[in-house]
Amino acid sequence: MKFNRVLKTLTAASAIAMSSLTFAADIGVNADKNDLAISGYDAVSYFKKGKPSKGSTKYTATHKGAIFHFSSASNRDLFKASPEKYAPQFGGYCAMGVALNKKLDVDPYAWKIVDNKLYLNLNKDVQKKWSTDIDGNLTTAYRNWNGIRTVDAEVLAEE
């Protein structure tokens, strides 16, 4: 009887552990330890309002294992219908950082939409530097992204 209880407990614990791995954010997505993307800001609001808006836990969607919050059901539904249109480029990592072969966190207020794509940066100072040559920095970043997308951010920080 005791053995069966231990076996059931181990089976349940294994199932929980495996399911948590299934929902973990993709390594190519910038998410916090709770798999929350863009610090909980609404990715669609950048396009619809022209500024970032804090999302709500009432309106969520997942994309590449990361959890996105939205300020309204309609924004959530737009995102779910076309996540590639609204999700930040480079998995939500700093666009300038990717141009420099790094995966850096971002400030949701350091952003720009270029050719209908959302780009985020580490902070407003980095964004100013990135903005001095957006085309060149994007060319370099897209070239670098293929090589670093599947590399852990900490590994890149050590290089």
Side-chain angles (χ1 to χ4, degrees):
M1 194 66 125
K2 206 176 209 181
F3 177 75
N4 283 342
R5 186 178 302 150
V6 169
L7 185 58
K8 285 180 183 178
T9 302
L10 286 173
T11 301
S14 296
I16 291 169
M18 292 304 286
S19 69
S20 69
L21 293 175
T22 304
F23 294 109
D26 180 289
I27 194 167
V29 177
N30 184 13
D32 69 12
K33 64 183 177 179
N34 295 315
D35 294 333
L36 183 63
I38 322 176
S39 301
Y41 280 80
D42 179 342
V44 176
S45 71
Y46 292 93
F47 295 89
K48 284 182 64 182
K49 290 186 171 183
K51 64 180 182 177
S53 295
K54 193 73 169 164
S56 167
T57 56
K58 287 174 37 179
Y59 311 110
T60 66
T62 59
H63 178 61
K64 296 185 178 180
I67 301 164
F68 287 81
H69 287 178
F70 301 92
S71 56
S72 69
S74 64
N75 280 10
R76 178 204 54 212
D77 295 345
L78 283 170
F79 184 87
K80 286 173 88 172
S82 189
E84 295 301 329
K85 177 179 180 177
Y86 296 106
Q89 299 302 293
F90 310 121
Y93 286 101
C94 173
M96 186 68 185
V98 174
L100 297 171
N101 238 19
K102 302 288 182 193
K103 284 181 165 178
L104 304 175
D105 203 7
V106 296
D107 175 351
Y109 287 92
W111 65 279
K112 185 165 184 72
I113 294 175
V114 178
D115 294 329
N116 288 318
K117 295 182 181 193
L118 175 61
Y119 297 94
L120 301 169
N121 277 289
L122 177 69
N123 56 43
K124 290 188 177 194
D125 289 335
V126 169
Q127 183 180 12
K128 284 179 191 172
K129 174 67 176 158
W130 178 77
S131 294
T132 62
D133 184 13
I134 291 173
D135 290 340
N137 287 322
L138 285 178
T139 298
T140 302
Y142 277 106
R143 184 177 57 242
N144 290 348
W145 185 241
N146 290 330
I148 68 172
R149 189 189 71 74
T150 59
V151 179
D152 193 81
E154 285 88 28
V155 171
L156 293 170
E158 294 170 1
E159 294 178 349

